[in-house]
Structure formats: structure tokens, C-alpha cells
Amino acid sequence: MKNLKLEQKIGFEQIRQSLKDNCLSIGGENFVDNMEFSSNYAKIINSLNLTEEFRQIFVSNQIFPSSNYFDMRIELERLRLLGTFISQSSLFDLKTSLQTINECLIFFSKSDPQKYPTLKTLTQNVYIDKDLLQKCNRLIDEKGDFFDNASDYLAIIRSNKRKKINEVDKRIQKLLILSKKEGWSSDDSEITIRNGRLVIPISSANKKKIKGFVHDESSTGQTSYIEPSEIVELNNEVRELELEQKREIVKILTEFTDILRPQIDILHQAYYFLSQIDFIRAKAKYAMKIRAGKPIVENETLINWYDARHPLLEKTLEKNSKQIVPLRININEKGRILIISGPNAGGKSVCLKTVGLLQYMLQCGLLVPMRETSEAGVFSSIFIDIGDEQSLENDLSTYSSHLLNMKNLCEGANNKTLFLIDECGTGTDPMIGGAIAESVLEHLNNKKSYGVVTTHYSNLKLLADREEDIVNGAMLFDQTNMKPLYTLSIGRPGSSFAFEIAQTIGLPKVIIDSAINKIGSSHLDFEQQLQQMEVEKIQIKKKEKELKVADDILSEVLIKYNKLNSTLEEDRKTILKQAKLEAKEILNNANKQIENTISKIKEANAEKEKTQVIRDAFRKQQEQLGKEISIIEVEQKSEKKKQSSQPTNKDIGVRLDFSALSIGDIVKIGQENTFAEVVSIRRNKIEIISNSIKMTIDKNSVIKVDKKSYLKQQSKTTLKSSSPFISIIDELNEKRKEFKPQLDLRGERAEIAIEKVSKFIDQARLLGEKELSILHGKGTGVLKIIIRDFLRTNSEVSSFKSAPVEFGGEGITLVTLN
């Protein structure tokens, strides 16, 4: 049922008004007015399915009728009485609205049988008599005027009327020309109309020159407007024909109404359908506007929401170019009551109102702005206590009104009640108010009720440690920048940060110090440490994720290094073996040459000339071999010189600098000949950048070098080192070359797909890639939804969208990283 006070407190009345603004008919607006909270699971699911299916029509950009949504039910009820007839304007509305209903029916009948099953059920009892629609089309045109052939007699009347009007025009034009010629009228005078009659403007001094009837005169009295007597009779005939036309039109309308009357009940059902479609269309259009969807709805009491957003707050923030912080909240059987604490203006009340508004919207059949993989339950009732309900008429103070609300809640609550209490226990003495609030929550916990409570009271924060099914939650606060984070963290209580906020707004330090002394530093330190632990916990998780990615890459680098080292060792043995074989071959050839030379000398019987020729040939071969050996030796020396010019572990090629380390200095990393620039220094850690890669390492693991010497050495270096020991930075660069910006997930299960996408994004971010594509295929669309839901929650993702149709369309998601 509708609860106007609750709707006002959670802002639902604004949602209702937005829906009415999206309606096209009074019938649709009536549906919005009658929309109410329901605990019927089947009814809620049916309403959500109707809205979601219509939202899909908008998403797919299909053409659906969007005009002439007239609700004719009141007019049809009037026409039930005999003797009544439909008006001409109502007939036009009837014609256009029947066309709209018919187009809606055609749309659903021609759509895919698997699409819009719930919407199609609405069309089952809807029928439009085609003869009736054709009759309307024969009677009236697109502007709402009757056709001449609407009846035979109407055609005759209009024909005679046109003839008479033409005759009147001819005669009065002749009289105007005569009047101008005689000087009775000015040369620029024109025929005009007075009292529905055609008249001639004549100067008052000459008005007796033409016989006729004076209908009017000018404000100065110098001009009279006369209807000549010879056309008065013609005008009277025209008037009679107009009256006859009206009587004939009434006759046509009466006859049509007699045809219409037997079908009123059928038409009543058709117009109910049209109003219902208008209502569903308005809900779907509003869902598109607030980017809402259909979560997983269970027939039990639970709240497990991801990225829930308050639609009204989001709209306000967008006007101011700000972004809303989505809410992640979980309330179930093991944690039924959530006690939220934290700083003022930190988002506690917004969190509570978001829960109330979205749950109320859901149980009214509206799509809600949260991730579609969220789980939502159904509650039998929602109770809210927020704001000041002080009443002078009923003699109720603020606290008395709160106590009265608590009394009603405790009496009516059950295991399917959802209660929302803002600043529980405030309005009276803190000790007494806190004790009463604690007892109320214990009572509601015993009744197994579900709820969200905001508070600053420490006794309520400690209640979760004693009572089962009650959990703490904190709105996080950034102590470094002194501003709230508007993020809910469930599991630990939060601090109010009253002193920090007071300091930020400029409260005198003397007053703040005095207050700290009064409350005691131990209480203050405890709350600060508790909150700081939560903030640091989030930062540590993020760092762990980054380190895991770096560790995976370094593991791959080590595997590649070991493989390369093994390959080089094998190559070295092969080269040595080949060299020995070649040396052996050279020796064999030399021996053969010597023996051949000796044999020739003997054959020549040691003749001097022939002996000399043989010696010269042998000497030439020796010289040629010597040249070849010299060339090889020169190449070896050159290679050794190049290798010696490269810095080694002992000689890095640049001078060391033993002064203090500062930002902008050049350092050598570990025992490798890898250099980097220092970009920040934090205690014993430094952040360095090399080859566009940023890393954070220990300060003791680097050696500072002279910057000028390093730059000079860099300018001389033209070739990379041929050392088999490849540095981490070089390996990362190699990794970037091998990295493919497209990930194929077709056929993968959801858990494995999410794990691969997470690793894919982390590697891309580490390697500096911004534009990625994920190939998931179209199929049933489940894998696409799961992947995109994950992308929405990933802080590294700036945006994502479907690929153009010609490049894969909905089967590929294009991702842009921060």
C-alpha cells in the first residue's frame, strides 16, 4: 500500500512525478498514481519483467509507437447512453488512438517469438475491429476534418456551398472595383470580414452611395464597413448551407456512434492496454535515464547490492559536474542489522536513504540503479525513522516523536520487516538515549527483523560484539586530506572525526585542545587508529595486486633467462666443435699441399726454374692463408674492443657519485648495467623510471652515478650490449612488444574469464597500454554482462563500449584504461 509520509522521507514522490512527466496519456498518469508498494513476489517479478523488456526495446533502437496515446474510456462510458453521439474532435482522437493500439499489436505479433514474452501476454485479450478502424478512416482525414464523401448528402451540401461562396466573391469584387473607381473607397482598400460577413470599406461620407447593411465602422468613424444588399441574400444562403452541413455531420456522428456502442466493452479493454503500455514505457524511459537495470530478485529477505546509486542524488551531483560514489552493501541472515557510524556529512544518511528508496522502488516494480548481478529480496514492510517529526498540534517533541515511532516499530516488526533509523537514540540525554536505542535494537534483533541504523553512540558500536546477527559498518574518512570518502566498509565501526572536522572549518585551536583533554586521548587514538587501519587495508590490497603482476612478469623473465643461458651453452659447445673440425680440415689440406709440392719437385728432377715456380706458388698460397687468418684476427680484436667498451659488473662505464640521493638523479640498479632516473623518495624506498616503466625499490639496491658522465656515455653508445644477461627493464620492453591488446574469451567459464580479464588489465596497465579489446562473442549475452559488470568495478578502467557493427558489434567490448 501507499505510504505518503514514507515516500516523502525517502524522496519517492519525486520519482513518481518523473514517471508522470514521461507519460503520454492521462491513463498512463493514473497508473503512476495507483502504483504502490507490494510484497507479492510474483507481482513484483512480473512488473520488473515488463519494464525490463520495454527497456530492451529502447536499447535495441526499435521503432515503437510513441504518439496519440489518448485514453477514450471516459468518453466511451458517456456514449453508452442512447441518444448521445461522439463529438468530431473525439472521433479524431478515437481514430488516431485506435491506429496506435493497432500498431502496438502489430509490433508484438511481428517480433521474435522469444522476445518480450511478458509484454506479449498483455495483448491476449486486446482486439481492434478492423471495420471500425476503416470506418473512422473513411469519415475523417488526418487533420480531423470530415471528408466530402462521408455521406452523399454532405457532398451535395459542400458543393453548393462552394458555388455560392464563389458567386459572392465575384459580385463583391465587382462592387469594390466600382467603389474605388467612384472614389468611395481608397485605392488600397480590400474586402474584409465583419461579424462573419464579407464587407467593403467605404468612407462614411459616401456610405449611402451603396445600398446595404452597415456592420461596423473604424475607430475614427471615417470608414464604414458595408455588406452590399445584393450579396446579403447570397450570404444568407451560404449560412443556411453551413447549418445544413452541421446537421448532416451530427447525423453521421450519430450513425457512427450506433455502430460504436456495441463494441464499447471491447474498446474499454483496448484502451486499458494502451494506458498500461504508456505506464510501462514511462518506467522504462526513466530507467534508461538513471541507468537502472533488473537485479537478481529472490523470494527471501536479503540485500546484497553492488554499485547501488541514489538516483536523485546522482542527478544533483551531475548538474554540479560531480560523480556519485556507488554503495556496496550486504544484509543477510548472518548480519541482519547494520549499524553505520562515521563522520558527519560522511554519507551515513545518504546510505540509509539509498537503501530505503531503492528497495521501495524495486517493490513498486521499478528497475533500480545498481549492478544487474546484485541480489535483492522482498520485505513485507518497510519502516523508516528519519528527520524531525516535532508536532505542536499533538504536543510532541522531537524525541517524543522518535519514541512513538520506536513503539510502533517494536509492535509491528517481524522477520520480514526492513527498518531504517537515522541517528538512533538522539534527541535526549546521550546516556539514556543510547541505552534505550540499544534495548530497541536488541528487541528487533530477537524478532529477526532486518535494518540499517546510523549512529555516533559508542555503546551501539559495541553492541555488534555482543549480539549475533548485528554488524558494524563505517563510512571511511581520508585523514591525510581531511575529507570523507563516502565509502561504506562493513565489519568495523567508524569514527565521528569531530575534532578533525572542527579543525577544518576553523574552530579555534584552544577550544579543540580543551575538548580533547576532556574526552581523553586514549578514546581519540583508538578511533583514529581504527579508521586509519581500514584506509591502509584498501591501499595494501591494491599494492598486493600490483606486486603479484610484477612477480608474474619477473618469473617469466627468469624462465626466459635460464632458457637463453642453456641455449648459449649448447651453442658454445657446437661452435668449439665446428672450429676444431675446421682446424683439422685446414691441417689436412696443408699436409696435402706440402706433399703435392714435394712430389712435383721430385718429378722435375730438381730443376731450378721449375723448382722456383713451385716454391713461388706454394709461397702465394701461404700468403693467401696468412691474409685470411689476419682478417679473422682483426675481426676478433674489433669484437673484443667493442665488448670491452661496454660497461661490466665491475666497470659500469660512468663515474660514481657518493653525494646524497635526490629527485632527478641517475642511479644504477643492483649488479645489472641498468640505469634509471629517481622521481620520488619515501624514507628507505625510492620510485624510479626507466624506459617509461615506473618501479618502487629499496634505496640500498641502487648506486648513484655522475649524471654528466652518464649522459656523455649514453651519447657515445650506438649499439646495445650483446650480453646474454638481459635486464629486467629490457625484458619488460620485450614483454610490451609481445603483448597483444585483444583477449579472446569465447567458450570460457565465468570465473576463468574474470580471472583472465583481471590479469589482462593488470599487465596492460604495467606495460602502459591504454586501449584494449575483449572478444567474448554474442551467444546468450551472459558472458558479456558478467565481464562488463567486472569492468564497472575495476578502478583501472576509464570506460568501455561495444565495437562498431562492422568490427564485431556486441560480440566485442572495447576498453579504455585510466
Side-chain angles (χ1 to χ4, degrees), residues 776 778 788 801-814:
H776 43 66
K778 297 180 181 178
R788 292 189 177 183
K801 62 182 179 181
S802 297
V805 176
E806 61 271 21
F807 296 113
E810 294 294 328
I812 296 176
T813 297
L814 302 180

Side-chain angles (χ1 to χ4, degrees), residues 105-283:
L105 296 176
I106 292 173
F107 176 87
F108 290 120
S109 65
K110 290 186 176 181
S111 62
D112 189 327
Q114 303 299 323
K115 286 187 176 181
Y116 323 124
T118 316
L119 284 171
K120 286 179 180 178
T121 59
L122 302 179
T123 67
Q124 291 176 356
N125 298 321
V126 181
Y127 172 73
I128 297 295
D129 188 346
K130 300 296 187 296
D131 293 336
L132 181 65
L133 187 55
Q134 289 176 4
K135 182 70 174 175
C136 292
N137 291 330
R138 285 197 300 265
L139 291 179
I140 204 163
D141 63 18
E142 296 302 321
K143 294 182 179 179
D145 296 326
F146 274 93
F147 288 111
D148 289 351
N149 60 356
S151 73
D152 294 338
Y153 189 49
L154 181 62
I156 295 171
I157 293 172
R158 287 187 171 177
S159 177
N160 293 336
K161 181 183 173 183
R162 282 192 289 270
K163 290 178 182 179
K164 292 294 181 184
I165 291 174
N166 287 336
E167 189 176 348
V168 169
D169 288 341
K170 289 178 182 179
R171 291 196 182 186
I172 201 167
Q173 285 291 347
K174 288 181 179 180
L175 292 172
L176 178 63
I177 293 171
L178 176 63
S179 179
K180 289 181 179 180
K181 186 177 179 181
E182 296 294 334
W184 303 335
S185 301
S186 60
D187 292 337
D188 59 349
S189 296
E190 295 293 339
I191 295 171
T192 185
I193 296 176
R194 289 292 187 274
N195 299 326
R197 300 279 189 148
L198 294 174
V199 294
I200 299 174
I202 297 176
S203 63
S204 297
N206 298 309
K207 64 182 179 180
K208 292 185 179 181
K209 301 288 184 179
I210 294 180
K211 293 181 180 181
F213 182 78
V214 178
H215 283 277
D216 198 5
E217 65 179 7
S218 64
S219 58
T220 59
Q222 295 181 358
T223 303
S224 297
Y225 298 94
I226 299 174
E227 180 186 10
S229 57
E230 59 183 279
I231 67 168
V232 169
E233 187 63 29
L234 288 174
N235 279 334
N236 289 339
E237 291 178 9
V238 171
R239 180 62 178 165
E240 287 177 2
L241 288 171
E242 289 176 347
L243 295 174
E244 188 67 22
Q245 176 180 278
K246 286 184 178 180
R247 287 192 292 270
E248 180 61 18
I249 288 175
V250 169
K251 180 182 176 182
I252 295 171
L253 292 172
T254 303
E255 291 175 353
F256 175 80
T257 304
D258 292 339
I259 297 172
L260 178 68
R261 192 171 285 115
Q263 301 189 43
I264 286 179
D265 289 335
I266 296 174
L267 291 174
H268 196 283
Q269 182 64 30
Y271 280 104
Y272 180 86
F273 163 76
L274 185 63
S275 298
Q276 195 174 18
I277 287 293
D278 185 24
F279 170 57
I280 298 168
R281 177 186 176 278
K283 292 196 295 181

Side-chain angles (χ1 to χ4, degrees), residues 326-390:
L327 173 66
R328 166 72 178 107
I329 186 169
N330 185 13
I331 302 175
N332 51 45
E333 289 184 355
K334 295 182 180 179
R336 288 180 287 96
I337 299 176
L338 176 63
I339 299 176
I340 303 176
S341 50
N344 289 315
K348 298 190 302 297
S349 296
V350 171
C351 176
L352 185 138
K353 287 184 177 181
T354 301
V355 173
L357 178 59
L358 298 192
Q359 187 64 40
Y360 196 85
M361 287 175 63
L362 183 77
Q363 294 193 228
C364 284
L366 298 176
L367 301 181
V368 285
M370 63 178 67
R371 201 195 302 175
E372 293 184 353
T373 52
S374 300
E375 296 176 289
V378 176
F379 296 90
S380 62
S381 58
I382 297 179
F383 176 92
I384 188 165
D385 180 47
I386 185 171
D388 186 1
E389 294 189 13
Q390 183 173 243

Side-chain angles (χ1 to χ4, degrees), residues 16 39 104 226 269 323 371 419 456 469 686 697 707:
R16 196 184 290 274
S39 58
C104 292
I226 299 174
Q269 182 64 30
Q323 289 186 339
R371 201 195 302 175
F419 63 87
H456 288 285
D469 304 330
I686 61 170
I697 60 176
K707 195 169 185 178

Side-chain angles (χ1 to χ4, degrees), residues 60 161 184 230 283 468 550 623 642 799 817:
S60 58
K161 181 183 173 183
W184 303 335
E230 59 183 279
K283 292 196 295 181
E468 292 185 0
E623 289 176 356
K642 288 180 181 178
S799 63
L817 301 184

